[in-house]
Amino acid sequence: GDIVLLAKPVTLTEGDRVTLTTDVPVATDGTSKPEKLLYAVSLPPVHGQIEHINYPGVPIPSHRQSDVVAQKVSYVHDNSHGADKESLR
């Protein structure tokens, strides 16, 4: 079926971390099991990384919607200067 992904912008300063919640990315595919949806990082962030909170400092290539609901996934800015806007894909 069709997949719908809604995303909202988040503003961070250098070195900040934001926990991804369903207020930022949330997806649905029309099934009764949205928690099984898998997010794959196809283009890693340039000025930071996506991490699982249980493994800080280790970038992850994918995570599940259930990890987002449980607030176990975060984006960490890498302290690089001059980073304007960045999007996660």
Side-chain angles (χ1 to χ4, degrees), residues 44-55:
V46 175
H47 300 289
Q49 62 189 27
I50 304 294
E51 300 177 353
H52 192 283
I53 63 165
N54 292 343
Y55 305 101

Side-chain angles (χ1 to χ4, degrees), residues 2 4 8 12 16 21-22 24-26 29 34 45 47-48 59 67 71-72 75 78-79 83 85:
D2 294 331
V4 176
K8 295 180 185 177
L12 297 175
D16 278 354
T21 66
T22 55
V24 180
V26 63
D29 67 352
H47 300 289
D67 294 326
Q71 298 182 358
K72 294 189 177 219
Y75 167 78
D78 69 1
N79 289 326
K85 293 182 180 180

Side-chain angles (χ1 to χ4, degrees), residues 44-88:
V46 175
H47 300 289
Q49 62 189 27
I50 304 294
E51 300 177 353
H52 192 283
I53 63 165
N54 292 343
Y55 305 101
V58 179
I60 57 173
S62 64
H63 59 278
R64 295 205 176 276
Q65 177 85 355
S66 59
D67 294 326
V68 174
V69 170
Q71 298 182 358
K72 294 189 177 219
V73 179
S74 61
Y75 167 78
V76 182
H77 192 284
D78 69 1
N79 289 326
S80 60
H81 296 284
D84 286 333
K85 293 182 180 180
E86 177 161 66
S87 61
L88 307 177

